[in-house]
Amino acid sequence: MISKKLMSRFRTLTVNSHVTTKSIQGLLLFFQILGLFLIMARDFANFDKTKLYFMIALIGFVYISGKLVQKFTRGDYYIMLIANMLFSIGILEIYRLNNKLAYRQIIWFCIGIVAFWVVYLILKYVKIWSKMYYFYAGISYLLFIATFLFGRKINGAKNWIRLGSNFAFQPSELIKIAFVFLIAAFYKNRDKFEKDFFKKYSLHFFFYTFLGFLFLQKDLGTVLVFSGVFIFAQYMYEPHRKYIFVNLLILSFGAVLGYVLFKHVKVRVKIWLDPFKYADGMGYQIIQGFYAIASGGFFGKGLGLGRPDYIPFAESDYIFASICEEMGILMGMGVVMLFLILTYRGIKTSMEQHNKFYKYVAFCLSLIFAFQSLIMFGGILKLIPLTGITIPFVSYGGSSILSSFIALGILQYASEENI
C-alpha cells in the first residue's frame, strides 16, 4: 500500500516537472520571438530574408535542443533551459552591437550543442573516467605547452592560440574541465593514494604547476577560478583540514606576488580603487560601464536605444553592463538569478549523486559556473578588480561557448548517473 502511494506521488511529481519544463520552454520561445521582432524593428532597412530565416532557424534549434534533452535523458531537464535562456539574452545584445560577431556566436552555439551530445553519449557508454587520473594531468600539460609555443598575447595575457585568420581559442577553457576531472579522480581514489607519498600529494603538485603555467601566461583571471574550485573542493572533501589553511596562505602570497610582478595587474588594481582618476585612459572602460548601468535604470532604454558601443569590449568583458543599459537592471538581476539557479541545480545533483566520481565532478563544474560569473559581475560592479574572463553562455567567445556546453553535457550526465 505504501509503495503504491509512493509510486503515485512520484508520477505526480514527474508530470508536474514536465509541465513546469514545458512552461519554461514556452517562455523562452516567447522571449526569443519578441527579441527577433525587436531586432527586425531596429534594423528593418537591412534585415533581408536571409537574416530572417537564419534567426528563425536559431529559434527552432534552441527549442529542439531543449526538447531533445527532455526526450532522451533522464536527468535534470532545467540546466539546458537555463543555458539556452542565458545564450538568448547574450546573443540579442551581441547582435545589437555587431551582427557579424553574433552570426559567429550562433555558429559556435550550434557546435556547442553538438559537443554537449557527443560528451553526454561518450560518458554514457564509456565508464573508465575515474581511473584516468594521470591522463587529465598529461592533457593539461600538453595544452599549456601548446599555449607557450603557439600562443599570442591579448590584453596582457598570453592565453590564445590562433589557427588561421578567423579562428582562435583559449586552451585554458578546456584545461578547466580536465582540472575538474583531475580533482574528482583524486578524491575518488584517495584511499588508495594515501598509501603512496607521491600520489598523496600529487594533486597539490599538479595544482601548483597549473597555477605556475597560468602565472607565466599572466592569465590571473583563470588563476582565480582554479584556486576557488580547488579550495572549495578541499573544504568539502579533504579530511586533512590543515591543507586548506596552508593553501590559502600560499595563494595569498601568490596574489601579492602577481601584483608586484605584473604591470597590468597593478593597472587593474589602480582603476578598481579610483577609476575616475584615470577617466581619460585606463579607467575609461569601467567608468563607461558605470554610466551604462546607471542610464539603463530598472527597465532599460530598449534594445538599440542605448550606447553600449561606447564601452570597450562591450560584447565580451562588459556584456553584463550592455545588457543592463538596454534591457534594464531587472534583466541584469535575471541573469544573476539564472546563474544562481544553475549553480543550485549542479550542487543539488552533487548532493543526490551516489557515484563518488560524478558527485565531485558535478560539484566542481557548478563552482566553475559560479566563480566565472561571480568574478565578472564583481569586476563590472567594482566589487573586485576586473579580470579578462567570460560570463558562460552570455559573453562573446567561441572557446567559452564550446567549453561551457561541454561542461553542461557532463553535468547533464552526472544528474542521471544515479537514477
Side-chain angles (χ1 to χ4, degrees), residues 114-272:
V114 172
F116 169 93
W117 283 106
V118 169
V119 168
Y120 171 83
L121 291 172
I122 289 173
L123 293 178
K124 192 175 182 68
Y125 294 107
V126 180
K127 306 290 185 179
I128 60 173
W129 305 108
S130 63
K131 303 173 184 178
M132 300 177 67
Y133 178 64
Y134 294 106
F135 171 78
Y136 306 130
I139 287 292
S140 301
Y141 285 135
L142 286 175
L143 289 171
F144 277 127
I145 292 168
T147 307
F148 274 107
L149 294 176
F150 308 109
R152 56 176 296 191
K153 187 178 289 187
I154 298 177
N155 299 325
K158 187 178 180 181
N159 56 356
W160 288 88
I161 293 179
R162 181 168 289 281
L163 302 175
S165 57
N166 297 318
F167 178 72
F169 76 101
Q170 284 183 285
S172 60
E173 292 287 346
L174 298 177
I175 295 171
K176 281 186 291 192
I177 298 173
F179 181 58
V180 165
F181 274 64
L182 186 73
I183 292 174
F186 176 83
Y187 282 111
K188 172 68 167 63
N189 300 288
R190 187 179 57 81
D191 292 340
K192 299 176 184 177
F193 289 176
E194 285 283 338
K195 301 172 184 178
D196 185 287
F197 179 83
F198 176 77
K199 289 181 179 179
K200 182 178 180 180
Y201 294 102
S202 59
L203 182 61
H204 284 84
F205 174 80
F206 292 137
F207 170 64
Y208 283 110
T209 52
F210 287 3
L211 292 197
F213 279 116
L214 292 170
F215 257 86
L216 292 174
Q217 294 174 15
K218 301 181 182 178
D219 188 2
L220 301 188
T222 306
V223 168
L224 280 177
V225 176
F226 273 58
S227 300
V229 171
F230 183 69
I231 291 297
F232 271 78
Q234 282 203 315
Y235 177 78
M236 288 294 293
Y237 306 120
E238 179 57 60
H240 305 295
R241 312 306 287 179
K242 62 181 180 181
Y243 293 162
I244 300 173
F245 298 103
V246 173
N247 288 322
L248 283 173
L249 287 173
I250 295 172
L251 292 172
S252 299
F253 174 76
V256 175
L257 188 64
Y259 176 80
V260 172
L261 293 178
F262 302 135
K263 183 179 178 181
H264 73 286
V265 176
K266 291 181 181 178
V267 168
R268 287 178 176 176
V269 172
K270 283 181 181 178
I271 61 175
W272 170 57

Side-chain angles (χ1 to χ4, degrees), residues 270-284 286-291 382:
K270 283 181 181 178
I271 61 175
W272 170 57
L273 294 172
D274 189 3
F276 291 94
K277 185 177 179 180
Y278 311 96
D280 295 331
M282 54 191 181
Y284 178 81
I286 195 168
I287 290 172
Q288 289 300 321
F290 287 159
Y291 288 155
K382 211 178 85 68

Side-chain angles (χ1 to χ4, degrees), residues 8-43:
S8 176
R9 180 61 176 163
F10 175 76
R11 291 191 192 98
T12 304
L13 287 171
T14 305
V15 170
N16 289 340
S17 176
H18 281 291
V19 170
T20 306
T21 308
K22 198 172 182 180
S23 302
I24 296 171
Q25 187 97 17
L27 286 172
L28 174 57
L29 181 62
F30 174 75
F31 175 82
Q32 290 178 318
I33 293 172
L34 180 61
L36 175 60
F37 278 113
L38 289 173
I39 289 173
M40 289 176 63
R42 176 186 174 273
D43 196 26

